[in-house]
Amino acid sequence: MLERLEHHWFAPARLRDLAYLRIAVVFVMLAGALWPGALEMQLLRSQLPAEWFVPLPALELLMVPLGWGTRPGPALITIVWGACCVSGLLALIGAYTRASLAIFAWTSTLLVVHSYSYGTLEHPKAIATIILWVLLLAPCGAALSLDSMRARVAESRRRGRFVPRDGEEMSGDARWPLRLAQWLLVL
């Protein structure tokens, strides 16, 4: 039973599938942030009366650098939204994947939990946010990314010639994020 469980979660999987997951989740979250009126709605919420603001623990944790329980103002929301858009585009194309995905996950989480702090909860955004944080722990930039292309060019320069790949790249670290995303989407 343990062997089957380990195979289900940790058998080698294609890195390309993990890259597809990165692209899909980042695209969905970025589209939500860039959707017409999304920034305006965030700014309107930040100006609602203080008694309507009930911060979720995740928002309080993200706002610790500015002080526990601090309410994000319009200027901070605008800066976070801008950083979300830029880092999301970089994460989408796989440029500096780990760093851009970390910034995108942080900014997306802040925007999502900020909107949730006014009584609206939408589970698909929460699941996508969790998957973003999980992707940080996986080699999601190892395929279909500018990072992987730069690594292949550097390898070709080091060898003095281009060596084509022998097929699909596999990794034992690629399956568990895919399985976790499947389970979260089912739940």
Side-chain angles (χ1 to χ4, degrees):
M1 180 68 168
L2 289 175
E3 209 173 284
R4 291 182 70 196
L5 192 60
E6 183 177 339
H7 178 73
H8 176 77
W9 287 97
F10 299 107
R14 295 182 334 159
L15 287 170
R16 186 175 295 257
D17 292 340
L18 191 60
Y20 289 145
L21 179 64
R22 180 197 84 231
I23 292 167
V25 172
V26 169
F27 179 78
V28 166
M29 294 298 288
L30 186 59
L34 291 172
W35 197 260
L39 177 59
E40 289 79 12
M41 186 59 70
Q42 288 281 352
L43 294 173
L44 284 174
R45 286 185 176 133
S46 69
Q47 296 171 355
L48 288 172
E51 55 268 6
W52 290 17
F53 179 68
V54 181
L56 297 175
L59 182 62
E60 290 179 334
L61 188 62
L62 291 171
M63 295 297 291
V64 162
L66 300 175
W68 187 262
T70 302
R71 181 178 176 187
L76 180 64
I77 292 296
T78 304
I79 291 168
V80 167
W81 181 82
C84 179
C85 294
V86 171
S87 63
L89 288 172
L90 291 174
L92 189 65
I93 63 173
Y96 307 102
T97 308
R98 189 135 349 237
S100 60
L101 193 59
I103 294 167
F104 184 65
W106 187 87
T107 55
S108 293
T109 303
L110 193 134
L111 292 173
V112 167
V113 296
H114 176 257
S115 66
Y116 285 3
S117 295
Y118 296 92
T120 304
L121 296 174
E122 299 170 16
H123 297 294
K125 286 184 181 177
I127 290 169
T129 303
I130 293 168
I131 294 171
L132 278 177
W133 287 101
V134 167
L135 286 174
L136 277 172
L137 305 173
C140 64
L144 298 178
S145 68
L146 288 178
D147 291 343
S148 66
M149 187 174 67
R150 276 195 305 251
R152 289 197 63 206
V153 167
E155 179 72 18
S156 296
R157 281 187 181 159
R158 188 181 60 77
R159 289 183 179 187
R161 63 184 173 87
F162 177 76
V163 178
R165 291 187 178 160
D166 293 335
E168 292 292 333
E169 291 185 62
M170 305 288 279
S171 173
D173 293 330
R175 182 171 300 259
W176 71 268
L178 294 167
R179 292 290 189 208
L180 185 59
Q182 288 173 339
W183 280 100
L184 285 172
L185 290 172
V186 168
L187 293 175

mmCIF file of all heavy atoms in Angstrom, residues 154-183:
data_model
loop_
_atom_site.group_PDB
_atom_site.id
_atom_site.type_symbol
_atom_site.label_atom_id
_atom_site.label_comp_id
_atom_site.label_asym_id
_atom_site.label_seq_id
_atom_site.Cartn_x
_atom_site.Cartn_y
_atom_site.Cartn_z
ATOM 1 N N ALA A 154 23.510 28.039 -22.640
ATOM 2 C CA ALA A 154 24.768 28.018 -21.882
ATOM 3 C C ALA A 154 25.440 26.649 -21.985
ATOM 4 O O ALA A 154 26.672 26.569 -22.136
ATOM 5 C CB ALA A 154 24.505 28.370 -20.430
ATOM 6 N N GLU A 155 24.639 25.581 -21.933
ATOM 7 C CA GLU A 155 25.191 24.227 -22.071
ATOM 8 C C GLU A 155 25.773 24.030 -23.464
ATOM 9 O O GLU A 155 26.849 23.448 -23.617
ATOM 10 C CB GLU A 155 24.089 23.197 -21.806
ATOM 11 C CG GLU A 155 24.523 21.775 -21.941
ATOM 12 C CD GLU A 155 25.422 21.307 -20.821
ATOM 13 O OE1 GLU A 155 25.449 21.952 -19.764
ATOM 14 O OE2 GLU A 155 26.123 20.296 -21.006
ATOM 15 N N SER A 156 25.113 24.539 -24.476
ATOM 16 C CA SER A 156 25.618 24.422 -25.850
ATOM 17 C C SER A 156 26.921 25.196 -26.031
ATOM 18 O O SER A 156 27.840 24.729 -26.690
ATOM 19 C CB SER A 156 24.578 24.928 -26.846
ATOM 20 O OG SER A 156 23.436 24.119 -26.811
ATOM 21 N N ARG A 157 26.989 26.366 -25.421
ATOM 22 C CA ARG A 157 28.232 27.149 -25.500
ATOM 23 C C ARG A 157 29.372 26.450 -24.783
ATOM 24 O O ARG A 157 30.504 26.455 -25.252
ATOM 25 C CB ARG A 157 28.017 28.529 -24.894
ATOM 26 C CG ARG A 157 27.308 29.465 -25.799
ATOM 27 C CD ARG A 157 27.287 30.849 -25.222
ATOM 28 N NE ARG A 157 26.572 31.741 -26.129
ATOM 29 C CZ ARG A 157 26.043 32.867 -25.773
ATOM 30 N NH1 ARG A 157 26.135 33.280 -24.524
ATOM 31 N NH2 ARG A 157 25.413 33.601 -26.645
ATOM 32 N N ARG A 158 29.055 25.873 -23.633
ATOM 33 C CA ARG A 158 30.089 25.181 -22.858
ATOM 34 C C ARG A 158 30.632 23.986 -23.636
ATOM 35 O O ARG A 158 31.834 23.740 -23.671
ATOM 36 C CB ARG A 158 29.515 24.726 -21.515
ATOM 37 C CG ARG A 158 30.556 24.163 -20.560
ATOM 38 C CD ARG A 158 29.950 23.693 -19.246
ATOM 39 N NE ARG A 158 28.958 22.655 -19.384
ATOM 40 C CZ ARG A 158 29.213 21.363 -19.622
ATOM 41 N NH1 ARG A 158 30.453 20.962 -19.784
ATOM 42 N NH2 ARG A 158 28.240 20.494 -19.723
ATOM 43 N N ARG A 159 29.747 23.248 -24.292
ATOM 44 C CA ARG A 159 30.154 22.081 -25.064
ATOM 45 C C ARG A 159 30.748 22.466 -26.416
ATOM 46 O O ARG A 159 31.443 21.660 -27.043
ATOM 47 C CB ARG A 159 28.961 21.162 -25.306
ATOM 48 C CG ARG A 159 28.502 20.460 -24.081
ATOM 49 C CD ARG A 159 27.375 19.528 -24.414
ATOM 50 N NE ARG A 159 26.944 18.814 -23.225
ATOM 51 C CZ ARG A 159 26.087 17.847 -23.235
ATOM 52 N NH1 ARG A 159 25.553 17.447 -24.376
ATOM 53 N NH2 ARG A 159 25.736 17.257 -22.119
ATOM 54 N N GLY A 160 30.407 23.647 -26.910
ATOM 55 C CA GLY A 160 30.899 24.068 -28.209
ATOM 56 C C GLY A 160 30.024 23.596 -29.353
ATOM 57 O O GLY A 160 30.337 23.817 -30.515
ATOM 58 N N ARG A 161 28.918 22.920 -29.044
ATOM 59 C CA ARG A 161 27.985 22.463 -30.070
ATOM 60 C C ARG A 161 26.619 22.237 -29.434
ATOM 61 O O ARG A 161 26.501 22.060 -28.223
ATOM 62 C CB ARG A 161 28.472 21.187 -30.745
ATOM 63 C CG ARG A 161 28.578 20.018 -29.792
ATOM 64 C CD ARG A 161 29.162 18.783 -30.494
ATOM 65 N NE ARG A 161 29.399 17.743 -29.526
ATOM 66 C CZ ARG A 161 28.514 16.848 -29.142
ATOM 67 N NH1 ARG A 161 27.310 16.854 -29.654
ATOM 68 N NH2 ARG A 161 28.817 15.932 -28.255
ATOM 69 N N PHE A 162 25.601 22.250 -30.280
ATOM 70 C CA PHE A 162 24.233 22.035 -29.805
ATOM 71 C C PHE A 162 23.958 20.545 -29.729
ATOM 72 O O PHE A 162 24.253 19.797 -30.664
ATOM 73 C CB PHE A 162 23.236 22.709 -30.746
ATOM 74 C CG PHE A 162 21.805 22.464 -30.363
ATOM 75 C CD1 PHE A 162 21.248 23.140 -29.288
ATOM 76 C CD2 PHE A 162 21.036 21.562 -31.064
ATOM 77 C CE1 PHE A 162 19.935 22.919 -28.922
ATOM 78 C CE2 PHE A 162 19.723 21.337 -30.708
ATOM 79 C CZ PHE A 162 19.171 22.019 -29.638
ATOM 80 N N VAL A 163 23.404 20.105 -28.602
ATOM 81 C CA VAL A 163 23.037 18.710 -28.426
ATOM 82 C C VAL A 163 21.524 18.645 -28.226
ATOM 83 O O VAL A 163 20.999 19.187 -27.250
ATOM 84 C CB VAL A 163 23.760 18.090 -27.204
ATOM 85 C CG1 VAL A 163 23.337 16.645 -27.012
ATOM 86 C CG2 VAL A 163 25.262 18.194 -27.372
ATOM 87 N N PRO A 164 20.805 18.010 -29.159
ATOM 88 C CA PRO A 164 19.350 17.932 -28.998
ATOM 89 C C PRO A 164 18.982 17.052 -27.803
ATOM 90 O O PRO A 164 19.737 16.164 -27.402
ATOM 91 C CB PRO A 164 18.870 17.312 -30.308
ATOM 92 C CG PRO A 164 20.054 16.727 -30.956
ATOM 93 C CD PRO A 164 21.271 17.374 -30.375
ATOM 94 N N ARG A 165 17.810 17.298 -27.275
ATOM 95 C CA ARG A 165 17.326 16.502 -26.134
ATOM 96 C C ARG A 165 16.965 15.105 -26.600
ATOM 97 O O ARG A 165 16.570 14.893 -27.739
ATOM 98 C CB ARG A 165 16.114 17.164 -25.504
ATOM 99 C CG ARG A 165 16.466 18.435 -24.812
ATOM 100 C CD ARG A 165 15.272 18.953 -24.067
ATOM 101 N NE ARG A 165 15.669 20.169 -23.371
ATOM 102 C CZ ARG A 165 14.839 21.066 -22.942
ATOM 103 N NH1 ARG A 165 13.542 20.914 -23.097
ATOM 104 N NH2 ARG A 165 15.274 22.139 -22.329
ATOM 105 N N ASP A 166 17.067 14.167 -25.670
ATOM 106 C CA ASP A 166 16.772 12.762 -25.987
ATOM 107 C C ASP A 166 15.309 12.399 -25.764
ATOM 108 O O ASP A 166 14.960 11.248 -25.700
ATOM 109 C CB ASP A 166 17.638 11.841 -25.116
ATOM 110 C CG ASP A 166 19.101 11.949 -25.474
ATOM 111 O OD1 ASP A 166 19.389 12.314 -26.620
ATOM 112 O OD2 ASP A 166 19.944 11.665 -24.606
ATOM 113 N N GLY A 167 14.455 13.361 -25.599
ATOM 114 C CA GLY A 167 13.041 13.078 -25.343
ATOM 115 C C GLY A 167 12.550 13.932 -24.195
ATOM 116 O O GLY A 167 13.113 14.975 -23.888
ATOM 117 N N GLU A 168 11.497 13.487 -23.583
ATOM 118 C CA GLU A 168 10.894 14.224 -22.486
ATOM 119 C C GLU A 168 11.755 14.147 -21.231
ATOM 120 O O GLU A 168 12.180 13.062 -20.842
ATOM 121 C CB GLU A 168 9.497 13.674 -22.173
ATOM 122 C CG GLU A 168 8.483 13.929 -23.252
ATOM 123 C CD GLU A 168 8.140 15.391 -23.398
ATOM 124 O OE1 GLU A 168 8.242 16.151 -22.423
ATOM 125 O OE2 GLU A 168 7.764 15.774 -24.512
ATOM 126 N N GLU A 169 11.967 15.292 -20.618
ATOM 127 C CA GLU A 169 12.682 15.320 -19.356
ATOM 128 C C GLU A 169 11.723 14.926 -18.236
ATOM 129 O O GLU A 169 10.599 15.413 -18.181
ATOM 130 C CB GLU A 169 13.260 16.699 -19.092
ATOM 131 C CG GLU A 169 14.387 17.061 -20.026
ATOM 132 C CD GLU A 169 14.998 18.388 -19.640
ATOM 133 O OE1 GLU A 169 15.533 18.494 -18.520
ATOM 134 O OE2 GLU A 169 14.922 19.301 -20.457
ATOM 135 N N MET A 170 12.190 14.049 -17.363
ATOM 136 C CA MET A 170 11.371 13.547 -16.264
ATOM 137 C C MET A 170 12.012 13.970 -14.943
ATOM 138 O O MET A 170 13.215 14.174 -14.862
ATOM 139 C CB MET A 170 11.278 12.021 -16.326
ATOM 140 C CG MET A 170 10.779 11.475 -17.644
ATOM 141 S SD MET A 170 9.050 11.755 -17.903
ATOM 142 C CE MET A 170 8.358 10.431 -16.968
ATOM 143 N N SER A 171 11.159 14.082 -13.921
ATOM 144 C CA SER A 171 11.656 14.415 -12.592
ATOM 145 C C SER A 171 10.718 13.821 -11.549
ATOM 146 O O SER A 171 9.497 13.850 -11.709
ATOM 147 C CB SER A 171 11.738 15.926 -12.407
ATOM 148 O OG SER A 171 12.060 16.237 -11.072
ATOM 149 N N GLY A 172 11.298 13.313 -10.474
ATOM 150 C CA GLY A 172 10.511 12.818 -9.355
ATOM 151 C C GLY A 172 9.852 13.941 -8.582
ATOM 152 O O GLY A 172 8.905 13.715 -7.830
ATOM 153 N N ASP A 173 10.358 15.161 -8.774
ATOM 154 C CA ASP A 173 9.780 16.319 -8.083
ATOM 155 C C ASP A 173 8.640 16.954 -8.871
ATOM 156 O O ASP A 173 8.065 17.939 -8.417
ATOM 157 C CB ASP A 173 10.864 17.380 -7.842
ATOM 158 C CG ASP A 173 11.913 16.911 -6.863
ATOM 159 O OD1 ASP A 173 11.573 16.108 -5.989
ATOM 160 O OD2 ASP A 173 13.063 17.348 -6.992
ATOM 161 N N ALA A 174 8.314 16.415 -10.028
ATOM 162 C CA ALA A 174 7.278 17.019 -10.859
ATOM 163 C C ALA A 174 5.891 16.443 -10.587
ATOM 164 O O ALA A 174 4.898 17.109 -10.845
ATOM 165 C CB ALA A 174 7.623 16.832 -12.332
ATOM 166 N N ARG A 175 5.802 15.227 -10.080
ATOM 167 C CA ARG A 175 4.489 14.597 -9.954
ATOM 168 C C ARG A 175 3.688 15.115 -8.770
ATOM 169 O O ARG A 175 2.492 15.352 -8.883
ATOM 170 C CB ARG A 175 4.609 13.084 -9.859
ATOM 171 C CG ARG A 175 3.227 12.427 -9.774
ATOM 172 C CD ARG A 175 3.283 10.942 -9.885
ATOM 173 N NE ARG A 175 3.860 10.496 -11.117
ATOM 174 C CZ ARG A 175 3.175 10.061 -12.168
ATOM 175 N NH1 ARG A 175 1.879 10.062 -12.133
ATOM 176 N NH2 ARG A 175 3.789 9.652 -13.229
ATOM 177 N N TRP A 176 4.319 15.296 -7.605
ATOM 178 C CA TRP A 176 3.517 15.636 -6.427
ATOM 179 C C TRP A 176 2.785 16.970 -6.563
ATOM 180 O O TRP A 176 1.633 17.076 -6.131
ATOM 181 C CB TRP A 176 4.347 15.551 -5.138
ATOM 182 C CG TRP A 176 5.382 16.621 -4.972
ATOM 183 C CD1 TRP A 176 6.676 16.582 -5.356
ATOM 184 C CD2 TRP A 176 5.173 17.907 -4.392
ATOM 185 N NE1 TRP A 176 7.298 17.764 -5.065
ATOM 186 C CE2 TRP A 176 6.397 18.591 -4.453
ATOM 187 C CE3 TRP A 176 4.082 18.552 -3.820
ATOM 188 C CZ2 TRP A 176 6.561 19.888 -3.978
ATOM 189 C CZ3 TRP A 176 4.241 19.837 -3.345
ATOM 190 C CH2 TRP A 176 5.470 20.493 -3.420
ATOM 191 N N PRO A 177 3.369 18.019 -7.197
ATOM 192 C CA PRO A 177 2.573 19.235 -7.368
ATOM 193 C C PRO A 177 1.388 19.029 -8.316
ATOM 194 O O PRO A 177 0.320 19.593 -8.116
ATOM 195 C CB PRO A 177 3.552 20.253 -7.947
ATOM 196 C CG PRO A 177 4.900 19.705 -7.726
ATOM 197 C CD PRO A 177 4.752 18.237 -7.629
ATOM 198 N N LEU A 178 1.602 18.196 -9.347
ATOM 199 C CA LEU A 178 0.508 17.893 -10.266
ATOM 200 C C LEU A 178 -0.615 17.152 -9.557
ATOM 201 O O LEU A 178 -1.795 17.468 -9.716
ATOM 202 C CB LEU A 178 1.032 17.066 -11.445
ATOM 203 C CG LEU A 178 2.016 17.762 -12.370
ATOM 204 C CD1 LEU A 178 2.695 16.753 -13.296
ATOM 205 C CD2 LEU A 178 1.314 18.830 -13.167
ATOM 206 N N ARG A 179 -0.250 16.154 -8.760
ATOM 207 C CA ARG A 179 -1.260 15.389 -8.008
ATOM 208 C C ARG A 179 -1.963 16.268 -6.986
ATOM 209 O O ARG A 179 -3.172 16.179 -6.821
ATOM 210 C CB ARG A 179 -0.618 14.194 -7.308
ATOM 211 C CG ARG A 179 -0.125 13.132 -8.220
ATOM 212 C CD ARG A 179 -1.260 12.411 -8.873
ATOM 213 N NE ARG A 179 -0.756 11.265 -9.566
ATOM 214 C CZ ARG A 179 -1.321 10.740 -10.622
ATOM 215 N NH1 ARG A 179 -2.429 11.276 -11.091
ATOM 216 N NH2 ARG A 179 -0.798 9.714 -11.214
ATOM 217 N N LEU A 180 -1.214 17.115 -6.305
ATOM 218 C CA LEU A 180 -1.829 17.991 -5.316
ATOM 219 C C LEU A 180 -2.813 18.949 -5.983
ATOM 220 O O LEU A 180 -3.908 19.190 -5.474
ATOM 221 C CB LEU A 180 -0.758 18.766 -4.544
ATOM 222 C CG LEU A 180 -1.249 19.636 -3.403
ATOM 223 C CD1 LEU A 180 -1.987 18.811 -2.358
ATOM 224 C CD2 LEU A 180 -0.091 20.371 -2.760
ATOM 225 N N ALA A 181 -2.436 19.471 -7.146
ATOM 226 C CA ALA A 181 -3.350 20.351 -7.887
ATOM 227 C C ALA A 181 -4.606 19.590 -8.302
ATOM 228 O O ALA A 181 -5.727 20.120 -8.190
ATOM 229 C CB ALA A 181 -2.643 20.920 -9.112
ATOM 230 N N GLN A 182 -4.457 18.347 -8.726
ATOM 231 C CA GLN A 182 -5.620 17.541 -9.080
ATOM 232 C C GLN A 182 -6.540 17.345 -7.885
ATOM 233 O O GLN A 182 -7.756 17.503 -7.989
ATOM 234 C CB GLN A 182 -5.186 16.174 -9.608
ATOM 235 C CG GLN A 182 -4.571 16.209 -10.982
ATOM 236 C CD GLN A 182 -4.001 14.874 -11.393
ATOM 237 O OE1 GLN A 182 -3.704 14.009 -10.560
ATOM 238 N NE2 GLN A 182 -3.840 14.690 -12.696
ATOM 239 N N TRP A 183 -5.959 17.004 -6.738
ATOM 240 C CA TRP A 183 -6.762 16.789 -5.533
ATOM 241 C C TRP A 183 -7.443 18.072 -5.078
ATOM 242 O O TRP A 183 -8.594 18.056 -4.666
ATOM 243 C CB TRP A 183 -5.906 16.200 -4.415
ATOM 244 C CG TRP A 183 -5.712 14.724 -4.567
ATOM 245 C CD1 TRP A 183 -4.621 14.117 -5.078
ATOM 246 C CD2 TRP A 183 -6.636 13.705 -4.231
ATOM 247 N NE1 TRP A 183 -4.796 12.754 -5.074
ATOM 248 C CE2 TRP A 183 -6.042 12.478 -4.552
ATOM 249 C CE3 TRP A 183 -7.920 13.686 -3.687
ATOM 250 C CZ2 TRP A 183 -6.683 11.249 -4.354
ATOM 251 C CZ3 TRP A 183 -8.555 12.474 -3.483
ATOM 252 C CH2 TRP A 183 -7.941 11.284 -3.815
#
